[in-house]
Amino acid sequence: MRPDPHARTMLPVPDVPAPGLTTYDAKDPETSYPPIEPLLPPPGAPNVLVVLLDDVGYGASSAFGGPCATPTAERLAAGGLRFNRFHTTALCAPTRQALLTGRNHHSVGMGSITETATSAPGNSSLRPNTKAPLAETLRLNGYSTAQFGKCHEVPVWQTSPMGPFDAWPTGGGGFETFYGFIGGENNQWDPALYSGTTPIEPPATPEEGYHLTEDLVDHACSWVRQQKALMPDKPFFVYLAPGATHAPHHVAREWIEKYRGRFDDGWDVQRERTFARQKELGVVPPEADLTPRHGEIPAWDDMPDDMKPVLAREMETYAGFLEHTDTQVGRLIDALEDLGVLDDTIVYYIIGDNGASAEGTLNGAFNEMANFNGMAALETPEFMRGKMDEFGSPSSYNHYSVGWAWAMDTPYQWTKQVASHWGGTRNGTIVHWPTGITERGGLRSQFAHVIDVAPTILEAAGLPEPTMVNGVLQSPIEGTSMVYAFDDAETPERHDLQYFEMFANRGVYHRGWSAVTKHRTPWIMTGGQVPAFDDDVWELYDGATDFSQAHDLKAERPDMLAKLQRLWLIEATKYNVLPMDDRGAERLSPELAGRPTLIHGDSQLFFPGMGRLSENSVVGVKNKSFSVTAEVDVPPGGASGVLIAQGGRFGGWSVHTTGGRLTFTYNVLGISQYDAVAEVPVPPGKHQLRVEFAYDGGGLGKGGDVTLFHDGTDVGHGRVEATQPLVFSADETTDVGYQSGTTVSSAYSATTSRFTGRIGWVQLDVGKDDHDHFISPDEQLRVAMARQ
């Protein structure tokens, strides 16, 4: 094997001209130059596939003793290694940024999700350019790179169609190809997709059999086939991050039916069954104990009998969703095997970016946005029973109950967001690499963390950690390569110190011991009281004898607890964890949180065709009065369609014409739809249409009165009894002149939503209620432009 001629610690690899004779005439016999060769990694560098599932707890997958069949995970585990002490950060975006950079989540500005970013360095959602992503390092070393699925690392003020795209996968993320979505979650039946940075629509409808996970894997399979057909000597890095199994739990009915009746005994019994199976598999040691249920989580026997069929159906839906997801991953594995490259591919199958999600309330949810708006009470037991057969379907945006999340985190305490305990951070992980790992079906119990993936891949590829990338001096990678454990189950762990923190749920691991404190409960979105940081109650566990954190030793070893508390503070200071921030809804407001906002002031101007604008790209209309003014030109036969719409089927508002009449629709969580309709149609010709919503005030989520105008003349009234106070949707957007995705109003569909007249412009103003103040179109445009 010839030595690597490249100096790879500085990226891009510097071009070094070859010295030699330069002739005057190219026809001179002595004219000679070395051949142009493409940059490739060192010989033997493997292909890389990282699969990261979403919101899957340690006790969900059958590969780690859970009730959800995951044959692909089992297949890879049989040919590779299970890691039963692999950890994440307890939340999605932080885990993803840590995975993609090899640095702790606060080090790369991702102390929480992008939607709650602040101006503090550890919570800004901005990755410093001193911490280049793994994909960029691999690309600059000659890898082909592609990402398929979820990207939750883009700061919210950079998610508009105008970018900037530095944080997007194909911008500064190092991926040459991206097909997926931006944000924390998406509708599996009707997602908001991007190809690179270009918004695109799904290639089919739910009625035609479309499902996002299947689509992502279709694209991944096509990409690897093409890559190997055109560049067989060039290794690839593929990052597959499906939105599954994050809520909404969307899957076809036949997958759900496979689990009918399997969960009728409830979550307490399911934990016992899973725990027994985990011991049989050896992924939990025989001396481990099952942690008890906390008082905040109700016992199954205490749940109302008439809710139990609904609760069981929630879990049946989730189990079908996870099995479906794993099956799609299997199609990609089959594609690699068919190409003859599976053995030369290091596959990381990380089953969850955090623990199972307990964000679905104690009863679960038909529309999880109800809980995120503090309106879960609208989904009464009667409502849930009436919707039971729709779980998983395109008409749902469903989530399961807290009890099931706890059961899916067996044998540990707590759930997603609770970074203090293993239930929030320990995720079953499989590494498959027949060329590089001798043992088949082995178990590894060395402590590992998601920041260890990047250095592992670099070592496997024979690549050094770069000291400079794109002219910027790099800070050291903070993870530890796991290669040392691949062929030695007994070798001492090398990653022996790790802090954890999420919303002040925090802890530290050091040489087997863990000191932890839970600060807040994830499913209490509003109205809950949290203690002062110094009043948090700490716990102490000895991992050498207590795998599951079942026996608190703080009373027996106060000295060890004090030592670890001090160590947590040292690590927190080192990695930008401080100041801790346990604020909730306040952090959704850019002004209160201190992060930038794309739109400033109280007015925003739109033009026809603008679309796929996230809520963070539009002036906020929640909990205040607002007005919409549009200049339109109506053809002789009248016009129909959307002028502007925000949100979709599961919550939002729309200004549209139906039957030629100006209409304002406000949709509350898909439960209540309020329509204000003009008394007369919009006449042909150029007009200024206006809708004014006068908020009642007196708190969050109140209603308001609606007035409709043609050219300043009152033409109709209506009433909205309630509004959504915090968020319309995590995936639906704002569109002008049409509506993508699902629709706010049942009066039109996405295919019939395009306005059939001509729109000159649309202006959204907030905090205005001057009914008689008519502004000419030219003046409107001048004023709006001045405000941008």
Side-chain angles (χ1 to χ4, degrees):
M1 185 179 295
R2 65 190 179 102
D4 184 3
H6 301 293
R8 298 180 185 267
T9 57
M10 181 182 292
L11 300 176
V13 175
D15 295 323
V16 179
L21 175 67
T22 300
T23 61
Y24 182 71
D25 187 340
K27 298 186 294 295
D28 188 318
E30 295 192 33
T31 300
S32 176
Y33 294 95
I36 297 174
E37 296 182 349
L39 175 67
L40 294 173
N47 303 302
V48 179
L49 170 62
V50 174
V51 179
L52 178 65
L53 300 192
D54 204 333
D55 283 4
V56 186
Y58 186 88
S61 162
S62 60
F64 285 85
C68 309
T70 51
T72 302
E74 292 184 28
R75 168 188 171 189
L76 292 173
L81 303 174
R82 287 179 174 93
F83 282 81
N84 68 341
R85 293 175 69 231
F86 183 95
H87 301 82
T88 55
T89 70
L91 200 59
C92 45
T95 289
R96 291 159 195 275
Q97 197 69 295
L99 166 71
L100 292 170
T101 62
R103 276 84 167 191
N104 286 299
H105 56 299
H106 292 90
S107 288
V108 285
M110 203 66 75
S112 67
I113 55 175
T114 57
E115 292 83 356
T116 58
T118 72
S119 56
N123 275 286
S124 68
S125 74
L126 293 169
R127 175 182 55 79
N129 60 9
T130 56
K131 297 172 174 61
L134 171 67
E136 180 75 344
T137 298
L138 294 179
R139 184 184 71 82
L140 293 174
N141 274 289
Y143 270 78
S144 296
T145 58
Q147 176 178 345
F148 303 93
K150 173 176 172 176
C151 173
H152 199 187
E153 302 88 61
V154 181
V156 290
W157 63 93
Q158 297 180 7
T159 58
S160 84
M162 296 308 297
F165 300 111
D166 298 357
W168 289 55
T170 54
F175 290 102
E176 297 163 317
T177 295
F178 171 62
Y179 182 84
F181 63 93
I182 303 296
E185 64 186 54
N186 226 302
N187 189 319
Q188 297 286 321
W189 300 114
D190 203 343
L193 290 171
Y194 288 87
S195 178
T197 59
T198 302
I200 59 173
E201 295 303 314
T205 66
E207 293 74 21
E208 294 168 331
Y210 179 85
H211 191 281
L212 174 59
T213 311
E214 297 174 15
D215 186 22
L216 296 174
V217 173
D218 285 346
H219 277 77
C221 290
S222 295
W223 187 89
V224 295
R225 291 179 183 125
Q226 179 168 263
Q227 196 271 345
K228 285 305 169 194
L230 298 178
M231 298 179 174
D233 297 328
K234 189 171 186 176
F236 61 72
F237 171 39
V238 170
Y239 173 41
L240 175 64
T245 56
H246 195 294
H249 301 159
H250 281 162
V251 71
R253 189 180 184 90
E254 59 264 27
W255 293 90
I256 303 172
E257 287 300 310
K258 296 174 72 170
Y259 291 89
R260 180 175 285 276
R262 293 269 297 273
F263 302 104
D264 289 353
D265 292 331
W267 44 71
D268 295 287
V269 171
Q270 183 58 56
R271 271 180 69 95
E272 296 282 354
R273 290 171 177 165
T274 297
F275 189 54
R277 178 63 180 150
Q278 288 172 332
K279 287 194 171 184
E280 290 175 13
L281 288 176
V283 295
V284 167
E287 70 275 8
D289 290 321
L290 182 62
T291 57
R293 177 174 38 78
H294 288 275
E296 293 96 323
I297 304 171
W300 176 261
D301 289 344
D302 292 337
M303 298 302 291
D305 288 340
D306 59 355
M307 272 297 292
K308 288 179 179 177
V310 177
L311 297 168
R313 190 60 169 179
E314 292 169 1
M315 186 60 216
E316 292 166 5
T317 303
Y318 178 82
F321 191 26
L322 179 52
E323 182 178 350
H324 173 266
T325 304
D326 177 84
T327 301
Q328 306 316 308
V329 175
R331 292 199 295 118
L332 180 54
I333 299 300
D334 289 342
L336 299 182
E337 190 167 46
D338 292 343
L339 290 168
V341 299
L342 181 59
D343 285 359
D344 295 324
T345 301
I346 180 169
V347 179
Y348 259 92
Y349 194 172
I350 306 172
I351 309 177
D353 55 352
N354 40 244
S357 170
E359 295 152 341
T361 82
L362 297 179
N363 285 337
F366 184 70
N367 178 1
E368 67 161 346
M369 288 296 132
N371 193 32
F372 291 145
N373 280 283
M375 303 171 77
L378 291 177
E379 294 194 336
T380 63
E382 293 75 19
F383 173 86
M384 294 290 282
R385 287 195 297 272
K387 294 292 187 180
M388 195 170 102
D389 290 339
E390 297 179 46
F391 281 120
S393 74
S395 65
S396 69
Y397 209 85
N398 53 304
H399 203 328
Y400 59 16
S401 68
V402 167
W404 291 124
W406 171 66
M408 293 305 102
D409 287 322
T410 303
Y412 308 116
Q413 303 178 57
W414 300 113
T415 62
K416 174 184 177 180
Q417 293 191 30
V418 185
S420 50
H421 293 73
W422 298 150
T425 63
R426 185 167 285 179
N427 288 89
T429 294
I430 297 161
V431 181
H432 181 275
W433 184 27
T435 299
I437 299 174
T438 303
E439 186 176 358
R440 303 289 183 265
L443 178 70
R444 296 293 182 270
S445 295
Q446 290 91 344
F447 184 95
H449 190 273
V450 69
I451 61 175
D452 299 338
V453 175
T456 303
I457 291 170
L458 291 179
E459 182 176 349
L463 294 172
E465 178 183 339
T467 57
M468 184 172 290
V469 177
N470 295 322
V472 178
L473 190 66
Q474 298 294 292
S475 65
I477 284 178
E478 293 159 8
T480 302
S481 172
M482 298 164 61
V483 171
Y484 75 93
F486 283 178
D487 281 326
D488 189 349
E490 302 303 323
T491 189
E493 65 189 24
R494 297 182 183 178
H495 190 149
D496 60 4
L497 173 60
Q498 180 63 47
Y499 84 90
F500 296 88
E501 192 275 343
M502 192 65 60
F503 302 120
N505 295 319
R506 57 202 188 275
V508 64
Y509 171 86
H510 185 50
R511 297 177 181 173
W513 289 86
S514 58
V516 302
T517 179
K518 173 187 164 290
H519 178 72
R520 65 179 305 151
T521 303
W523 55 90
I524 299 177
M525 301 287 186
T526 59
Q529 296 295 319
V530 293
F533 296 142
D534 290 343
D535 293 336
D536 284 330
V537 178
W538 285 74
E539 303 160 16
L540 178 69
Y541 300 99
D542 181 4
T545 59
D546 184 9
F547 177 84
S548 57
Q549 294 180 323
H551 303 286
D552 182 5
L553 300 178
K554 66 175 178 291
E556 292 88 340
R557 292 295 307 274
D559 57 325
M560 179 61 74
L561 177 60
K563 174 184 175 181
L564 293 181
Q565 286 174 311
R566 185 182 304 113
L567 188 56
W568 181 88
L569 188 58
I570 293 170
E571 294 297 288
T573 304
K574 183 190 304 182
Y575 294 115
N576 282 339
V577 180
L578 302 178
M580 288 189 290
D581 194 337
D582 63 353
R583 292 176 295 170
E586 302 97 309
R587 287 178 65 175
L588 294 174
S589 166
E591 295 79 12
L592 294 177
R595 65 177 172 271
T597 181
L598 180 65
I599 303 301
H600 301 277
D602 55 9
S603 183
Q604 186 172 3
L605 185 67
F606 303 90
F607 294 98
M610 291 177 65
R612 199 62 73 77
L613 305 174
S614 70
E615 287 189 36
N616 294 283
S617 301
V618 177
V619 64
V621 300
K622 302 178 190 74
N623 311 305
K624 63 184 69 172
S625 298
F626 66 92
S627 67
V628 177
T629 308
E631 180 189 84
V632 301
D633 195 345
V634 177
S640 63
V642 170
L643 299 177
I644 184 170
Q646 182 175 42
R649 172 187 292 157
F650 305 103
W653 59 271
S654 171
V655 177
H656 55 100
T657 60
T658 301
R661 297 172 187 261
L662 179 63
T663 304
F664 175 76
T665 296
Y666 199 105
N667 178 338
V668 180
L669 299 169
I671 297 174
S672 301
Q673 178 176 310
Y674 302 100
D675 295 304
V677 183
E679 297 171 359
V680 295
V682 181
K686 182 176 285 190
H687 300 282
Q688 189 179 97
L689 308 182
R690 185 173 173 89
V691 172
E692 294 184 351
F693 175 74
Y695 188 62
D696 290 343
L700 302 180
K702 304 299 182 182
D705 294 321
V706 180
T707 308
L708 309 174
F709 298 89
H710 293 174
D711 300 320
T713 300
D714 184 333
V715 293
H717 299 83
R719 174 73 187 167
V720 174
E721 294 297 340
T723 57
Q724 292 181 214
L726 298 178
V727 61
F728 289 121
S729 173
D731 59 332
E732 301 281 6
T733 55
T734 297
D735 305 299
V736 182
Y738 72 104
Q739 183 163 23
S740 62
T742 65
T743 58
V744 170
S745 173
S746 56
Y748 58 87
S749 66
T751 56
T752 64
S753 66
R754 192 164 295 277
F755 188 66
T756 57
R758 189 189 71 83
I759 299 174
W761 47 264
V762 177
Q763 182 164 310
L764 176 61
D765 296 281
V766 298
K768 294 180 181 291
D769 54 10
D770 47 341
H771 291 211
D772 298 324
H773 184 43
F774 177 77
I775 305 177
S776 70
D778 290 343
E779 180 67 8
Q780 282 273 30
L781 185 59
R782 187 192 67 77
V783 171
M785 287 296 192
R787 286 173 172 164
Q788 297 305 303

